[in-house]
């Protein structure tokens, strides 16, 4: 198939700036999540450029499969900094993982509009576009991603990797 696998999405996400805090478990994890959200809100109220706290934590939550929470933090990052292409990328990833590919596409396109050379957003837009059946445009964005960062090819599942390689050779 031409769809990117969930594990590949997580690998692509891992290429973004990760949250530096150590993961916790059980009730401590939930308390840690809530404390991090509250701390980010307090910092964000004082200094809007701390939207990166929300971006980093959102990426961490995506890796943990906590997409609803990641969506909330990504939206907050974008509220604090509408030009946060990383926040837009995270929001797009979390929405795509939540089955909201159409909305994901909007946010990923905006991320690319802000940062045209952001390879990860191109790869994620490729995934979103293929998820809605637009294989041609999806492959075009995958090819752009791999041209910008050849290491992203390793993050793709084998069937997607083959499709992307063929599309790129064909000049997409």
């Amino acid at each position: 198939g031409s769809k990117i696998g969930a594990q590949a999405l997580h690998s692509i996400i891992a290429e973004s700036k990760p949250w530096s805090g150590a993961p916790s478990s059980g009730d401590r994890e939930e308390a840690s999540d809530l404390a991090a959200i509250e701390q980010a809100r307090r910092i964000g109220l004082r200094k809007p450029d701390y939207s990166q706290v929300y971006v980093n934590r959102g990426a961490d939550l995506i890796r943990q499969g906590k997409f609803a929470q990641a969506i909330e933090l990504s939206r907050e990052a974008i509220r604090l900094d509408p030009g946060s292409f990383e926040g837009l990328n995270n929001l797009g990833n979390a929405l795509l993982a939540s089955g909201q590919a159409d909305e994901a596409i909007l946010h990923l396109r905006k991320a690319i509009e802000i940062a045209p050379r952001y390879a990860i957003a191109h790869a994620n837009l490729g995934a979103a576009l293929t998820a809605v059946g637009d294989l041609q445009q999806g492959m075009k964005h995958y090819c752009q991603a791999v041209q910008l960062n050849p290491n992203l090819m390793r993050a793709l599942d084998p069937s997607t990797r083959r499709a992307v390689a063929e599309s790129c050779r064909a000049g997409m």
Side-chain angles (χ1 to χ4, degrees):
S2 294
K3 291 185 182 177
I4 190 168
Q7 188 166 2
L9 268 178
H10 290 225
S11 296
I12 291 168
I13 294 164
E15 294 284 334
S16 65
K17 293 181 182 175
W19 175 255
S20 59
S24 55
S25 62
D27 293 335
R28 272 189 33 227
E29 184 175 311
E30 185 67 23
S32 173
D33 290 348
L34 294 174
I37 291 169
E38 184 54 36
Q39 180 182 12
R41 284 193 175 123
R42 282 195 311 272
I43 292 169
L45 289 174
R46 288 182 288 153
K47 195 167 183 181
D49 63 347
Y50 272 80
S51 67
Q52 192 65 42
V53 172
Y54 289 95
V55 170
N56 291 347
R57 188 65 183 133
D60 187 45
L61 290 168
I62 290 169
R63 282 190 293 279
Q64 294 174 29
K66 297 178 178 181
F67 304 119
Q69 290 171 307
I71 290 168
E72 178 185 343
L73 287 181
S74 298
R75 288 189 193 283
E76 184 65 12
I78 297 162
R79 186 189 70 74
L80 292 169
D81 178 6
S84 175
F85 60 91
E86 292 172 307
L88 288 159
N89 180 65
N90 284 354
L91 180 56
N93 278 323
L95 289 165
L96 180 60
S98 298
Q100 301 173 63
D102 289 325
E103 188 177 350
I105 289 167
L106 298 173
H107 296 290
L108 292 165
R109 285 187 195 272
K110 178 79 172 172
I112 291 168
E113 181 181 311
I114 294 167
R117 299 191 51 81
Y118 189 39
I120 296 165
H122 280 286
N124 293 328
L125 181 55
L129 289 165
T130 59
V132 299
D134 190 346
L135 300 179
Q136 184 176 5
Q137 284 298 308
M139 289 299 122
K140 175 184 167 193
H141 282 281
Y142 274 131
C143 289
Q144 286 178 303
V146 175
Q147 287 171 351
L148 292 167
N149 182 351
N151 292 329
L152 289 177
M153 188 66 98
R154 293 189 325 240
L156 303 175
D157 65 67
S159 62
T160 303
R161 190 178 311 128
R162 280 190 300 276
V164 170
E166 290 171 19
S167 294
C168 295
R169 276 195 300 273
M172 291 208 121

